[in-house]
Amino acid sequence: MRYHDRKRILVTGGAGFLGSHLCERLIDLGHDVLCVDNFFTGTRENIAHLMPSSRFELIRHDVTFPLYVEVDEIYNLACPASPIHYQFDPVQTTKTSVHGAINMLGLAKRVKAKILQASTSEVYGDPREHPQTESYWGHVNPIGLRSCYDEGKRCAETLFYDYHRQHRLRIKVARIFNTYGPRMHPSDGRVVSNFIMQALKGEPLTIHGDGAQTRSFCYVDDLIGGLVSLMNSPEDFTGPVNLGNPGEFSVRELAEQIIALTGSASKLEFKERPSDDPTQRKPDITLAGKILGWGPTTNLHDGLRKTIIYFQGLLGS
Ligand SMILES: NC(=O)c1ccc[n+]([C@@H]2O[C@H](COP(=O)([O-])OP(=O)(O)OC[C@H]3O[C@@H](n4cnc5c(N)ncnc54)[C@H](O)[C@@H]3O)[C@@H](O)[C@H]2O)c1
């Protein structure tokens, strides 16, 4: 990489699942990466392999407090992403999304950095349109147990667009759909990690409801490619843009694939569905294809295989 193409890039939430893969990718691309994390759900193990690199730096910091650093680009990923983690301290979750966004946007404004927000398909809530396109405004409960996350992320999007309109900030907003892969937290209660851990331990796989609710699952390497393409997209393109895998699987199908791939003797166990659990989730990624030339390339079978190997390693150690 030529010297003037090399950027100083801040990744908030860089020690988390997606953040650690993003830091790795950006270093591989030749950039200098500053990872900021308060280790609420992220771990040192996720980034241990990056520590020896002279192009990687780590700061322990909570994004709800201001940060003063010199950078060219900011990827704002800091926020617990799984219901178990974001419902543990819902007030802190909203603060992380909202105050975190204000602090990072303030930083971007001061140092004239380009900034990308890791938003979520949860801004669509329990959608009445299927599949969801970016023009859909969503169907969100403002006072439910998931609201700290959903509404926090919606407010963060509002802040991004107001900073763009009011202060001409260069912004990018990605609406990320369910993503899975190595370095997911083993006890985050998300469906993929849950099922794999249960299958590997020979425990029953817990399905909420009858398992007919559908989800789309994007492999982490694909998603990271989408985030980097979005950051480098034409200046006048802000998004929001859906990033995910449109392949739709019922939760029951996922459980059955994981049992087959792990060779587990586990059975399925059906439990009551939690409130606000969406019945259908599938991204329309037409816009990402058109503007970014992006689409996922890893199929569920291959992605699950790599993820299972990672979890086997965790259990082994
Ligand atoms: N993984 C997915 O399927 C998915 C889907 C949609 C959106 N997202 C978004 O992508 C981002 C990353 O998600 P993930 O799956 O890697 O989750 P994660 O929980 O593994 O990572 C979040 C990281 O943010 C850090 N963090 C939390 N609060 C912080 C704070 N106040 N200050 C500094 N750091 C803080 C955590 O310690 C962790 O390292 C999140 O913003 C999430 O909302 C993820």
Side-chain angles (χ1 to χ4, degrees), residues 13-19 36-42 61-64 76-81 92 96 118-121 149 153 176-179 190:
F17 162 48
L18 297 182
V36 162
D37 208 294
N38 70 348
F39 294 111
F40 175 53
T41 51
H61 175 80
D62 183 329
V63 294
T64 62
N76 187 36
L77 272 65
C79 186
Q92 173 67 10
T96 296
S119 190
T120 169
S121 56
Y149 184 72
K153 288 286 188 178
I176 303 170
F177 282 66
N178 265 359
T179 301
R190 284 193 262 193

Side-chain angles (χ1 to χ4, degrees), residues 33 126 165 214 269 279:
V33 172
D126 190 359
R165 283 185 288 255
T214 65
E269 186 178 83
T279 42

Side-chain angles (χ1 to χ4, degrees), residues 26-42:
L26 294 171
I27 288 173
D28 286 349
L29 288 170
H31 299 297
D32 290 332
V33 172
L34 174 58
C35 166
V36 162
D37 208 294
N38 70 348
F39 294 111
F40 175 53
T41 51

